[in-house]
Amino acid sequence: MTASSPALPPSDAIAFLGHRCVARGPIADVAAALRTLAAAPTDPPLLVFDAVTSAPIDLDLRGTEAEVRARVTPGPGPRVEAEPPRGPGRPRLGVVSKEITLLPRHWTWLGQQRGGASATIRRLIDAERSRDEGPARRRRAREVAYQFMSHLAGNLPGFEDATRALFGGHARAFRARVAAWPTDVGTHLTTLTADAFVEDDG
């Protein structure tokens, strides 16, 4: 059984002491900044998140600053061998040949399209991906914002209403609820929800 490679740490992190942001930036810099802060027990607790995905990060802050930085700094990646020179002929364009099953009427229609069946299928897939890009981006932004909210804002007034507004796509209602929350929490949520709403969604 082949062991899987360890996950790389995120590039940027954000740290909160209660509702106050105490560090943000490259994770090695954040870890170094938190080292002295974490030397004594804190109340409220110190929480660290991936600044992009809102995933909680458990930092090992023991030891010297160099040791703390080394634990969150990725090592060199795998060596990449140079590709041998290609011979004459058509270049490989990343095309992968696989089988798809269609009914006769589908093949008939595809054969009548500009560029033939393969080019038409590629155009249809690209068009569908482009159409889905906006909704998918908004969905991801809402999920990331909710993950952060659930850790830091679950006990704040209006949390339930803010959650409903977030997933309902109601930008003004969400921002009105968040405006009453501690400044650093609201500021980070503004960043996380930059792609979460259609601006005229109410």
Side-chain angles (χ1 to χ4, degrees):
M1 185 175 182
T2 305
S4 59
S5 301
L8 294 178
S11 56
D12 280 0
I14 186 166
F16 281 81
L17 183 61
H19 295 137
R20 181 169 61 93
C21 179
V22 291
R24 176 171 187 158
I27 189 168
D29 293 344
V30 169
L34 297 181
R35 178 174 158 266
T36 52
L37 187 61
T42 56
D43 186 21
L46 183 64
L47 297 175
V48 187
F49 303 93
D50 183 314
V52 175
T53 68
S54 295
I57 302 171
D58 185 15
L59 292 175
D60 183 351
L61 301 173
R62 297 170 299 174
T64 65
E65 179 177 331
E67 290 169 337
V68 169
R69 284 180 175 275
R71 279 193 287 268
V72 295
T73 302
R79 183 179 173 187
V80 178
E81 299 290 341
E83 267 192 52
R86 290 196 181 123
R90 193 175 173 188
R92 296 179 303 169
L93 299 175
V95 176
V96 178
S97 178
K98 292 188 177 181
E99 181 179 316
I100 62 171
T101 303
L102 299 176
L103 297 174
R105 66 175 182 274
H106 300 142
W107 288 115
T108 299
W109 182 84
L110 284 170
Q112 296 167 351
Q113 305 308 305
R114 174 174 53 88
S118 294
T120 302
I121 289 172
R122 287 195 292 270
R123 283 198 304 272
L124 290 172
I125 291 172
D126 286 342
E128 188 63 28
R129 288 179 62 197
S130 177
R131 183 163 57 234
D132 185 55
E133 185 178 342
R137 187 172 61 247
R138 287 193 289 275
R139 184 170 59 251
R140 284 193 300 271
R142 292 169 187 178
E143 290 168 354
V144 166
Y146 177 73
Q147 170 138 298
F148 174 74
M149 287 168 57
S150 65
H151 283 283
L152 275 190
N155 293 325
L156 292 177
F159 173 79
E160 299 289 344
D161 289 339
T163 299
R164 281 192 289 271
L166 174 66
F167 286 106
H170 305 303
R172 285 196 292 270
F174 175 78
R175 289 167 185 154
R177 294 288 182 268
V178 169
W181 291 356
T183 301
D184 289 349
V185 174
T187 298
H188 188 51
L189 278 171
T190 298
T191 300
L192 293 177
T193 57
D195 292 328
F197 302 105
V198 177
E199 281 309 307
D200 60 355
D201 59 359

